[in-house]
Amino acid sequence: MNVNLKSMYFLCRAVIPKMVAQGSGSIINMSSSISNIKGAPMRFAYSVSKAGVNGLTKAIAADFITKGVRCNSICPAAVDTPALQERINAAPDPVKVRADIVARQKIGRMGKPEEIAALALYLASDESGYTTGQELVIDGGWSLA
């Protein structure tokens, strides 16, 4: 909860007054499609924290829309990052774990950090000026039925 939810709450609380004062701003929260958009076994605490992020996102969007502050969340699935690679390598059979993660991605691969960054860049830009209070799922089809 401290990393996934409380950190975002405290950061938002710190920046919102400055955004309101300037009449604009875009908050981009990181959530997850794993556990939040679609349930996953053995992740109840993680699920609660990420659902909280999306609730926070929608509440901020609703509270500050008339002040020029937008708030959205990005909900990725497995992204091939050094942190994920570290967890994979710590497993008894890293090759199997990596193969299992990739097998769960309907698109046939993990996401790339650059793909998530491109969405964040869009949300931070003026081109997304009509977008607020949204959970933007970028999960290679993981959350499809």
Side-chain angles (χ1 to χ4, degrees):
M1 291 295 182
N2 286 337
V3 171
N4 288 342
L5 181 55
K6 286 183 180 179
S7 63
M8 289 187 202
Y9 166 79
F10 288 122
L11 182 60
C12 290
R13 192 172 81 173
V15 301
I16 287 171
K18 293 171 182 63
M19 291 178 169
V20 168
Q22 70 186 18
S24 67
S26 177
I27 296 169
I28 305 163
N29 289 325
M30 289 304 297
S31 187
S32 175
S33 67
I34 300 173
S35 302
N36 177 51
I37 304 299
K38 178 180 176 181
M42 305 302 294
R43 296 188 185 171
F44 64 90
Y46 181 78
S47 298
V48 167
S49 69
K50 292 303 187 175
V53 169
N54 287 336
L56 174 69
T57 297
K58 290 178 182 298
I60 289 170
D63 287 347
F64 296 99
I65 191 168
T66 60
K67 306 289 187 200
V69 178
R70 298 179 298 109
C71 189
N72 295 286
S73 62
I74 296 176
C75 303
V79 179
D80 198 1
T81 63
L84 179 58
Q85 191 57 50
E86 197 173 288
R87 288 197 311 268
I88 291 170
N89 290 340
D93 187 351
V95 172
K96 181 182 181 326
V97 170
R98 184 174 186 77
D100 289 348
I101 292 170
V102 169
R104 287 192 300 264
Q105 310 310 307
K106 290 185 172 72
I107 206 164
R109 64 174 176 82
M110 287 190 267
K112 300 173 188 171
E114 298 82 4
E115 293 168 320
I116 310 307
L119 178 55
L121 183 60
Y122 166 73
L123 291 173
S125 74
D126 291 340
E127 283 78 21
S128 69
Y130 200 60
T131 306
T132 193
Q134 300 304 304
E135 301 168 7
L136 290 110
V137 177
I138 180 167
D139 69 358
W142 189 89
S143 59
L144 294 173

